Amino acid sequence: MVIRNLRGLYSLEDIIKKILKCDKVVIVSGDIAHNISVRENIGKAAAKVLLNKIGNNSIIAVAGGSTVYHVVHSIKTNKKYPEVLVLPARGSLRNNVEYQANSLTAKLATKLEANYELLNIPDNLSRKSLESVRKEPDIQKTINKILKSNIILCGIGNANEMVVRRNLADTVIEFLNRKEAVAEALGYYLNKDGEIVYTSRSIGIKLEQMTKTAYPIAVAAGKSKAQAIIAFSKFINNGCFIMDEGAAKEIINLT
Ligand code: G3H
């Protein structure tokens, strides 16, 4: 029975891989809508993918979010990575402190016995202040390293859910509705064709860079994120998606 179930998941992974046109798909059994522990299992599956992908000189950019939190907390290794550098993918995006990219960066680096740098940038800065912070030499150095990252660990959010969680202004929400945003990842909002329609006010990775130099490991759970996963996949032509059956089956329904 267990073997048959696993075979079912393997063939679902093949189908989703073809739809998303990516390097690898891992599907965790269950649906987060019925079982909250699915997020932990996504974390464990993604931790394995990440550990397999890390090379001696990897630069890993880590985004925030509750699913990435579970990935980082599932990392178990006796190996040390003294040449690896872990960085936050972006400055704070108004997550709880335990889910912020900076916290997860420090936690992951400690587990890997790797190096890390943080982006300590306050929330809610005006665009003008953000531009002047961006020019600070230390921040600039860290940003330049982030832009060289070759692995990006990130969550994918449903745009409608993220605007509420991030407490965005009504004017921004209306704008995103008009632009038909369906996905949020790394502070970028995308429409269903994977086009960037809005960028959060924060500093860090450039989504465009993912298509060129980095291997994204993207995690997401739930039917409500299916459209967002499809949109994000249109932005990248490589990388690995780790999701639950709930998201996977809805991706098939939508395509
Ligand atoms: O950018 C997307 C969000 O970080 C996803 O967050 O994993 O907590 O749903 P989540």
Side-chain angles (χ1 to χ4, degrees):
M1 186 64 180
V2 172
I3 290 171
R4 227 180 46 221
N5 281 343
L6 277 178
R7 280 205 189 120
L9 284 183
Y10 288 147
S11 66
L12 193 54
E13 285 170 355
D14 281 342
I15 296 168
I16 300 295
K17 193 175 142 179
K18 282 190 189 114
I19 295 174
L20 301 183
K21 299 188 181 81
C22 58
D23 172 53
K24 187 177 171 71
V25 168
V26 180
I27 297 174
V28 164
S29 75
D31 184 335
I32 192 134
H34 309 299
N35 182 0
I36 197 80
S37 67
V38 160
R39 206 189 305 278
E40 278 165 46
N41 293 336
I42 288 180
K44 286 180 193 156
K48 269 193 207 158
V49 173
L50 177 61
L51 285 172
N52 278 331
K53 200 72 199 168
I54 300 176
N56 282 342
N57 297 305
S58 292
I59 301 178
I60 310 167
V62 180
S66 59
T67 322
V68 172
Y69 168 94
H70 283 291
V71 182
V72 171
H73 281 258
S74 300
I75 293 282
K76 286 192 182 71
T77 177
N78 294 323
K79 207 172 154 190
K80 297 179 182 175
Y81 297 85
E83 307 299 330
V84 166
L85 177 61
V86 189
L87 300 163
R90 287 189 86 85
S92 167
L93 287 170
R94 303 186 203 179
N95 276 316
N96 296 340
V97 70
E98 58 177 344
Y99 294 160
Q100 281 178 8
N102 272 337
S103 316
L104 297 174
T105 293
K107 185 83 189 165
L108 179 61
T110 306
K111 286 192 165 203
L112 298 177
E113 297 199 29
N115 307 290
Y116 71 94
E117 286 175 27
L118 302 179
L119 268 180
N120 288 312
I121 299 161
D123 273 346
N124 300 329
L125 286 183
S126 65
R127 277 205 193 275
K128 202 172 158 208
S129 312
L130 208 58
E131 282 317 309
S132 84
V133 170
R134 196 193 298 274
K135 287 181 193 136
E136 284 294 319
D138 281 353
I139 301 272
Q140 196 57 59
K141 271 188 208 154
T142 304
I143 292 172
N144 288 341
K145 289 176 192 165
I146 293 171
L147 296 178
K148 288 189 186 131
S149 54
N150 39 32
I151 301 174
I152 300 173
L153 174 62
C154 67
I156 304 172
N158 169 304
N160 290 331
E161 291 168 12
M162 294 312 292
V163 295
V164 175
R165 273 166 60 178
R166 299 233 163 100
N167 204 14
L168 296 192
D170 288 347
T171 47
V172 178
I173 297 177
E174 279 158 27
F175 177 80
L176 289 170
N177 285 338
R178 266 204 317 281
K179 293 286 179 182
E180 300 180 342
V182 297
E184 190 274 353
L186 294 155
Y188 289 84
Y189 289 79
L190 310 174
N191 65 16
K192 68 177 174 39
D193 298 319
E195 293 161 347
I196 297 172
V197 294
Y198 180 75
T199 308
S200 302
R201 233 166 34 205
S202 75
I203 291 177
I205 211 151
K206 290 200 183 344
L207 198 50
E208 297 89 327
Q209 164 201 11
M210 300 186 83
T211 51
K212 299 189 187 92
T213 51
Y215 186 88
I217 298 174
V219 287
K223 186 177 166 175
S224 70
K225 293 196 178 182
Q227 190 72 72
I229 295 170
I230 297 170
F232 188 65
S233 76
K234 297 202 173 161
F235 209 92
I236 59 173
N237 43 24
N238 198 1
C240 176
F241 287 82
I242 300 112
M243 67 189 81
D244 64 349
E245 274 180 279
K249 288 179 178 163
E250 184 65 7
I251 287 174
I252 293 174
N253 286 340
L254 290 170
T255 49

